């Protein structure tokens, strides 16, 4: 088989030329980064888990009418996706105070927000992905008013759906990031959901214990990253029968580390 041409490599994924025009193959790496790539490491098996989790979530979102770039999963680490023109804006949805919001405003982490907050960040690693307003987005032409409305509307719909999905398996959806892309039909561009949805880009806390089941375990040197990602996948029903025994218990992990 001829070697596929690499189109792009990011911090957590590689994009290759797809088998048909307008498609790409998205490969999930085990690389882990935090704080705009200032901290780097590897979480063995993360790519496999994120591929499965993102496939599951995107399939469910398509079922409620959210247009996405996902076509199908190809193997353990790869999925076939539609090629899109990425909008250079990360959309962050917050339900609970955590992370940078807690630091910036001096509010205790874990404080429930009285209403969901939608934030925008300009995608530029060299600048540290600065937070921007809708006025900046419109002024610099990163997205049109209609596109901005579509992104915000989809973000709220995704939040409503995922909050219920995770609550049903005992997980609190604290916050998450989304990326969007344009697909073109002649001169008409349409916004669809792109990238991935996984514990890499979501804060997920166990409702009973407050245990972090996401990349904050890597950011904060808590350990147990693989176990946390496996636990999310297990609760979503993504492990075949007999595989559950491979999922390690986070409480046991913490005791082993003396925490």
């Amino acid at each position: 088989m001829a070697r596929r041409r690499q189109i792009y490599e990011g911090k957590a994924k590689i994009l290759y030329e797809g088998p048909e025009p307008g498609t790409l193959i998205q490969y999930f790496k085990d690389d882990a980064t935090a704080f705009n790539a200032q901290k780097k490491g590897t979480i063995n098996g993360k790519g496999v888990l994120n591929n499965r989790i993102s496939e599951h979530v995107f399939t469910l979102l398509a079922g409620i009418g959210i247009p996405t770039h996902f076509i199908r999963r190809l193997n353990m680490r790869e999925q076939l996706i539609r090629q899109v023109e990425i909008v250079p804006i990360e959309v962050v949805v917050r339900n609970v105070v955590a992370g940078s919001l807690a630091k910036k405003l001096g509010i205790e982490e874990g404080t429930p927000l009285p209403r969901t907050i939608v934030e925008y960040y300009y995608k530029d690693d060299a600048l540290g992905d600065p937070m921007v307003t809708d006025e900046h987005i419109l002024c610099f032409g990163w997205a049109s008013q209609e596109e901005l409305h579509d992104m915000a509307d989809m973000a709220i719909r995704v939040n409503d759906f995922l909050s219920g999905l995770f609550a049903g398996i005992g997980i609190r959806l604290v916050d998450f990031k989304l990326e969007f892309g344009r697909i073109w039909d002649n001169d008409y561009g349409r916004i669809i959901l792109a990238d991935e949805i996984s514990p890499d880009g979501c804060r997920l806390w166990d409702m009973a214990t407050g245990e972090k089941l996401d990349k904050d375990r890597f950011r904060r040197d808590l350990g147990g990253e693989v176990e946390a990602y496996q636990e999310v996948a297990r609760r979503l029903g993504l492990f075949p029968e007999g595989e559950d025994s491979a999922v390690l218990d986070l409480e046991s992990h913490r005791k082993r580390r003396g925490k």
Side-chain angles (χ1 to χ4, degrees), residues 2-56:
R3 185 176 177 84
R4 297 192 303 269
R5 182 169 65 94
Q6 182 175 316
I7 304 297
Y8 168 80
E9 180 169 3
K11 289 173 283 193
K13 294 181 290 298
I14 304 174
L15 297 179
Y16 295 99
E17 191 174 48
E20 299 173 355
T23 66
L24 295 172
I25 293 173
Q26 181 167 257
Y27 175 91
F28 288 75
K29 303 193 293 183
D30 285 346
D31 294 357
T33 64
F35 313 117
N36 288 313
Q38 293 178 32
K39 180 178 181 179
K40 298 180 181 180
T42 301
I43 302 174
N44 292 326
K46 175 176 79 76
V48 173
L49 290 162
N50 283 351
N51 186 19
R52 292 277 295 275
I53 292 169
S54 193
E55 170 204 15
H56 181 67

Side-chain angles (χ1 to χ4, degrees), residues 95 112-116:
N95 300 307
L113 290 166
R115 52 171 287 177
T116 297

Side-chain angles (χ1 to χ4, degrees), residues 163 166-173 205-211 235:
S163 292
F166 284 118
I169 54 175
I171 294 175
R172 190 181 193 185
L173 180 61
W205 296 353
D206 182 274
M207 281 184 159
T209 66
E211 195 78 63
R235 293 195 197 184

Side-chain angles (χ1 to χ4, degrees), residues 72-248:
R72 67 178 182 275
R73 182 165 61 88
L74 298 175
N75 52 49
M76 290 179 70
R77 288 188 179 270
E78 295 179 326
Q79 52 184 234
L80 185 67
I81 61 172
R82 293 178 179 84
Q83 186 170 13
V84 301
E85 176 187 319
I86 289 291
V87 177
I89 299 297
E90 285 185 357
V91 180
V92 173
V93 182
R94 299 184 184 273
N95 300 307
V96 178
V97 175
S100 62
L101 187 63
K103 292 178 182 177
K104 283 189 296 188
L105 301 182
I107 302 174
E108 184 179 359
E109 186 165 80
T111 303
L113 290 166
R115 52 171 287 177
T116 297
I117 295 174
V118 177
E119 300 172 343
Y120 304 109
Y121 293 82
Y122 179 54
K123 284 172 55 65
D124 189 311
D125 286 343
L127 299 175
D129 296 338
M131 186 176 178
V132 295
T133 68
D134 53 355
E135 291 296 325
H136 294 109
I137 296 168
L138 298 174
C139 178
F140 295 111
W142 297 324
S144 69
Q145 184 72 71
E146 182 180 1
E147 289 173 333
L148 198 56
H149 283 158
D150 287 345
M151 290 190 293
D153 179 63
M154 277 192 267
I156 293 299
R157 290 180 62 202
V158 169
N159 182 56
D160 288 345
F161 179 81
L162 292 187
S163 292
L165 174 70
F166 284 118
I169 54 175
I171 294 175
R172 190 181 193 185
L173 180 61
V174 173
D175 57 39
F176 62 98
K177 78 172 183 70
L178 298 174
E179 294 192 26
F180 294 90
R182 297 182 188 91
I183 55 174
W184 293 93
D185 182 9
N186 296 318
D187 292 333
Y188 176 72
R190 182 164 63 97
I191 292 291
I192 65 173
L193 186 62
D195 193 45
E196 65 174 301
I197 296 179
S198 74
D200 264 13
C202 304
R203 279 193 173 89
L204 304 169
W205 296 353
D206 182 274
M207 281 184 159
T209 66
E211 195 78 63
K212 292 176 172 57
L213 304 174
D214 55 67
K215 200 168 74 172
D216 266 353
R217 303 199 70 84
F218 171 75
R219 292 187 187 98
R220 303 183 184 191
D221 296 316
L222 298 175
E225 296 93 347
V226 175
E227 294 90 341
Y229 283 51
Q230 286 178 328
E231 179 64 13
V232 173
R234 185 190 68 79
R235 293 195 197 184
L236 287 170
L238 302 182
F239 281 111
E241 287 297 321
E243 259 188 61
D244 283 24
S245 59
V247 181
L248 302 181

